[in-house]
Amino acid sequence: MAHTSSRTTIIFIVVALVCAFVPAFSVEEAEAKSLWDTCLLKISPKCALDIIGVVFENLTITDACCHDLVQEGKMCHDTLIKYIAEKPHLVAHETEYLTKSDALWTHCVSISQTA
């Protein structure tokens, strides 16, 4: 099971890197890439991977990463998750991922408010 989880994590890292460096072909995608580049500066790579893991793999997130996520902002969070979820091999479950993304945001806001 751990091997499968590691392999899945590696796949998502590759997807994230590809999404970050693929040239944009439309205005909408160019805007998403610009926001992607801006938002990635606000959060550590480890937390970014943890967030992706929560939304796309049912993993957990630390309180510290929740604080980083809230600092990143809702617009950044929503845009980055939607950007990944719209990829052809993931789009069939986009609604599920966006629901998980909203639940993660709500959880992290509640964690941040109690600190």
Side-chain angles (χ1 to χ4, degrees):
M1 183 78 123
H3 179 68
T4 302
S5 179
S6 296
R7 179 174 280 171
T8 304
T9 300
I10 290 169
I11 290 169
F12 280 108
I13 291 169
V14 170
V15 168
L17 291 173
V18 168
C19 292
F21 295 106
V22 169
F25 296 106
S26 69
V27 173
E28 184 177 311
E29 195 165 325
E31 290 171 4
K33 185 182 181 320
S34 174
L35 191 54
W36 173 280
D37 292 342
T38 302
C39 293
L40 284 181
L41 298 175
K42 297 180 182 180
I43 196 161
S44 73
K46 186 205 180 310
C47 286
L49 291 175
D50 287 352
I51 291 163
I52 291 169
V54 170
V55 175
F56 295 96
E57 298 182 41
N58 297 318
L59 299 179
T60 59
I61 192 166
T62 64
D63 289 357
C65 284
C66 267
H67 292 290
D68 287 354
L69 174 62
V70 173
Q71 286 290 106
E72 174 190 52
K74 178 96 167 108
M75 183 171 49
C76 281
H77 174 65
D78 289 347
T79 301
L80 296 177
I81 295 299
K82 188 158 179 57
Y83 190 63
I84 295 170
E86 288 178 342
K87 297 303 165 197
H89 60 286
L90 298 173
V91 75
H93 298 283
E94 181 179 7
T95 303
E96 174 189 342
Y97 298 140
L98 296 179
T99 300
K100 287 180 173 181
S101 174
D102 287 342
L104 174 62
W105 178 260
T106 301
H107 168 74
C108 287
V109 167
S110 71
I111 295 292
S112 292
Q113 290 175 344
T114 60

